[in-house]
Amino acid sequence: MRRVKMTWPRLDISVTARLDEARNPGLADIWWRMLPYRSIQSHAVVADGHMYHLAPDINAVFAERQTLEDRTDAPDGSVYLTRLQHLLIKYAPVLEPTVCARVAQVEDADVPALATVARRCWEAVYCGPGYFEVEVAQEGHPSGTGLGLPPSHDAEQPAVRDLVGDMRLATERIWLTPAPEVVDLHGGRVPLGSRGQYFSTMVYVNGEMRTLGSTTLNPLARAAHDPQTDLAGLLALTRPLTELQAEFLGHCGFRALRSLFDRVYAVLPQVRSKADYGALIAELALHVNCLRRWNLHFFPWHHGDEHRWTDALSARERQAGGR
């Protein structure tokens, strides 16, 4: 049986998960082939009960799912690879009934350790800014020193290939190191926000980044692998679906990101195949989702203390969400 070791070096904690060879063997293989890699550990801020990290391979977005399940009914230690390109680990009750595809299960003896990791991760996200790395490798194999990002897609058109390569370099710079634009925004060094405050700017950037990455670019990357979609339609939709967010984020200090989008728009007329289109959008999605992850870690979630659930909630609801 294949096993994966996940290690959080700063916490000196490791757990082992056995691959689920029955529920979603193809998706489990995709995760297995990613290894080894390193990422930044994140924690849910709405659903609770699970932590996750950004996986490096876009194949997770459009891979087929054979067996889906509601995370709220799954045992602690369940491991999922989601269409948001997240490797998700459930460690406690989950409030959001989202259906996902399980790829592994943490060994029973290691499940208690997840609570310790989750607590530290929650503190880093909620009280932050803070973050720590997770190393993921095949059991018995070294975790490696590289980032674990797969090779850039070998696009056919030279202009597409060059742009994909440049986007990969941009992502590598911020894969394990906070993006300077995020640090500046959350440090109050971007003079944008009504009446001299920038809290509203952080809120909107967080929302627009999520919309751009998870709900726009990831589905476009998935559509590029769908035989029912045609290239002309994808090319026609790309700019209208992304330009508003790209322009706004550029105003908010993400000028390098806006420049990447401008280069994408300029090269789209040269794209001649869905393979090249998919390579371009997949690389762009990975970069945006990496920026979005840093926004998660720097956002001042601790203001949640000012917005606790009201007394109208039942004792049962309080107990379920009191983590």
Side-chain angles (χ1 to χ4, degrees):
M1 180 176 292
R2 296 182 292 177
R3 288 179 168 82
V4 177
K5 184 177 181 180
M6 290 177 277
T7 302
W8 296 268
R10 276 181 51 193
L11 305 180
D12 194 25
I13 294 176
S14 296
V15 302
T16 300
R18 59 186 182 278
L19 253 61
D20 193 321
E21 308 284 2
R23 285 182 175 83
N24 295 284
L27 195 60
D29 280 340
I30 287 175
W31 188 36
W32 184 258
R33 290 196 299 269
M34 291 185 200
L35 310 176
Y37 66 82
R38 293 184 292 161
S39 192
I40 299 297
Q41 188 65 62
S42 302
H43 192 288
V45 295
V46 174
D48 208 356
H50 74 266
M51 51 187 173
Y52 63 92
H53 62 257
L54 185 62
D57 194 339
I58 195 69
N59 282 295
V61 172
F62 46 76
E64 182 181 356
R65 271 78 175 158
Q66 285 85 19
T67 306
L68 298 173
E69 65 183 19
D70 187 337
R71 295 178 304 172
T72 59
D73 298 326
D76 292 349
S78 296
V79 182
Y80 303 91
L81 187 56
T82 77
R83 292 202 185 278
L84 298 182
Q85 211 170 335
H86 291 159
L87 196 285
L88 183 157
I89 309 172
K90 179 185 179 183
Y91 70 90
V94 175
L95 303 180
E96 182 185 7
T98 303
V99 174
C100 296
R102 197 193 310 187
V103 294
Q105 180 70 34
V106 173
E107 298 287 2
D108 292 344
D110 290 343
V111 169
L114 293 176
T116 301
V117 177
R119 176 178 57 81
R120 293 292 303 275
C121 183
W122 171 253
E123 291 169 353
V125 172
Y126 189 73
C127 304
Y131 58 93
F132 49 85
E133 293 182 18
V134 57
E135 298 177 353
V136 190
Q138 298 174 10
E139 185 183 43
H141 291 73
S143 59
T145 58
L147 304 182
L149 294 175
S152 297
H153 300 272
D154 190 16
E156 297 175 2
Q157 293 292 325
V160 176
R161 187 164 56 247
D162 291 345
L163 180 51
V164 166
D166 288 348
M167 287 193 288
R168 171 51 57 90
L169 291 175
T171 301
E172 288 176 346
R173 286 193 289 268
I174 63 170
W175 186 251
L176 297 175
T177 302
E181 301 94 326
V182 173
V183 176
D184 286 344
L185 172 67
H186 291 269
R189 291 182 288 275
V190 177
L192 188 65
S194 301
R195 306 299 174 94
Q197 56 78 44
Y198 62 95
F199 181 78
S200 58
T201 309
M202 294 189 295
V203 171
Y204 272 84
V205 165
N206 201 53
E208 294 299 316
M209 197 75 76
R210 185 179 193 276
T211 298
L212 185 57
S214 297
T215 64
T216 303
L217 291 173
N218 278 7
L220 285 175
R222 182 183 175 190
H225 290 259
D226 188 338
Q228 298 185 62
T229 63
D230 64 272
L231 178 61
L234 293 172
L235 293 174
L237 285 171
T238 302
R239 185 163 189 161
L241 287 176
T242 60
E243 189 170 29
L244 182 63
Q245 285 82 19
E247 182 178 7
F248 172 75
L249 292 170
H251 295 325
C252 296
F254 294 86
R255 290 181 289 275
L257 178 65
R258 176 60 198 267
S259 177
L260 285 178
F261 272 91
D262 286 340
R263 291 181 63 187
V264 169
Y265 301 148
V267 84
L268 283 178
Q270 303 177 47
V271 175
R272 297 289 180 268
S273 69
K274 287 174 66 178
D276 271 16
Y277 176 84
L280 191 67
I281 298 303
E283 203 66 47
L284 187 58
L286 182 63
H287 184 70
V288 171
N289 287 326
C290 190
L291 285 171
R292 174 200 166 195
R293 178 194 62 190
W294 286 121
N295 271 304
L296 173 85
H297 282 268
F298 278 78
F299 191 84
W301 301 106
H302 58 82
H303 287 295
D305 287 343
E306 304 161 20
H307 303 277
R308 292 290 177 180
W309 291 354
T310 70
D311 291 337
L313 290 171
S314 68
R316 182 177 179 181
E317 289 171 318
R318 283 179 181 277
Q319 185 178 9
R323 186 168 297 278

